[in-house]
Amino acid sequence: EFKLTKFTATLLLLDILTPIGFSLLVLAFQPLAVFLRNRILKRAKLRRAYFKNLLVIGITGSYGKTSTKEFLHAILSEKFKVLKTKEHQNSEIGISECILDELSEDHQIFICEMGAYNRGGIKLLCDIAKPKIGILTGINEQHTATFGSLDNIIKTKYELIEFLPRDGIAFFNGKNEHCRKLYQKTKIKKY
């Protein structure tokens, strides 16, 4: 005969209620997290706007972003004072922290690696960094699970090119079929 003791019943109840309790705790702090995130983004936008003559190079794609950033940094640093986003600093918070913590009046160029996992993600990063040059390294089906489709990936990566100013310059990977198609539809100066 099975007998449920008071101790066993208490453990069972705790086991059932713990996930609910933690979920409620996370939900309770969510507004504060959103507020703090938005505050950081706003401060970064204001700080970035202060640097009127800063040339920002945005780099996005399904692959090759970090390598391209590192090569560009090595080349451009020979003649210019260059800031680049650090490794794994390609989200809105990472880019904002880089602008807030490291960008100075000495910098002439800011190389900004831009990663996203949903539509509008690159546009948000462009709104913060304000790139004048955009580099699309390549597009493939990586992260299809988060984007939902290859079409969504293509549209999201192209947000970088769409956000560039009229006098901006777009660079595409000519060996990638998706980049070649986007190159054809691009109206600004392109390579």
Side-chain angles (χ1 to χ4, degrees), residues 46-89:
L46 290 171
R47 180 156 176 80
R48 166 58 188 100
Y50 175 77
F51 298 95
K52 304 272 187 234
N53 296 319
L54 181 70
L55 175 64
V56 178
I57 302 170
I59 303 170
T60 196
S62 299
Y63 56 86
K65 296 182 294 291
T66 303
S67 299
T68 303
K69 175 185 71 178
E70 295 301 329
F71 289 134
L72 262 179
H73 182 264
I75 294 165
L76 294 173
S77 292
E78 293 290 320
K79 287 193 171 192
F80 303 98
K81 181 75 172 161
V82 182
L83 174 66
K84 64 177 177 166
T85 52
K86 289 185 174 74
E87 189 177 355
H88 306 298
Q89 202 177 37

Side-chain angles (χ1 to χ4, degrees), residues 121-188:
I122 299 296
K123 183 178 182 233
L124 173 63
L125 301 178
C126 289
D127 192 41
I128 297 166
K130 305 283 189 221
K132 184 171 183 175
I133 296 174
I135 300 172
L136 193 47
T137 60
I139 299 171
N140 64 20
E141 295 183 0
Q142 186 174 347
H143 304 302
T144 305
T146 55
F147 280 99
S149 71
L150 179 59
D151 187 53
N152 282 338
I153 295 171
I154 292 168
K155 288 176 181 174
T156 301
K157 300 304 180 183
Y158 194 67
E159 289 170 2
L160 171 59
I161 307 306
E162 290 175 317
F163 194 92
L164 295 175
R166 286 186 182 164
D167 63 341
I169 303 170
F171 290 88
F172 297 86
N173 176 353
K175 293 184 177 184
N176 181 269
E177 79 171 278
H178 304 296
C179 287
R180 287 193 305 271
K181 289 177 185 174
L182 294 173
Y183 174 90
Q184 294 302 322
K185 78 179 215 175
T186 300
K187 304 285 186 236
I188 64 171

Side-chain angles (χ1 to χ4, degrees), residues 24-39:
L24 291 173
L25 191 62
V26 168
L27 283 173
F29 281 101
Q30 189 65 22
L32 178 62
V34 170
F35 170 77
L36 293 174
R37 174 191 171 274
N38 290 341
R39 186 169 165 227

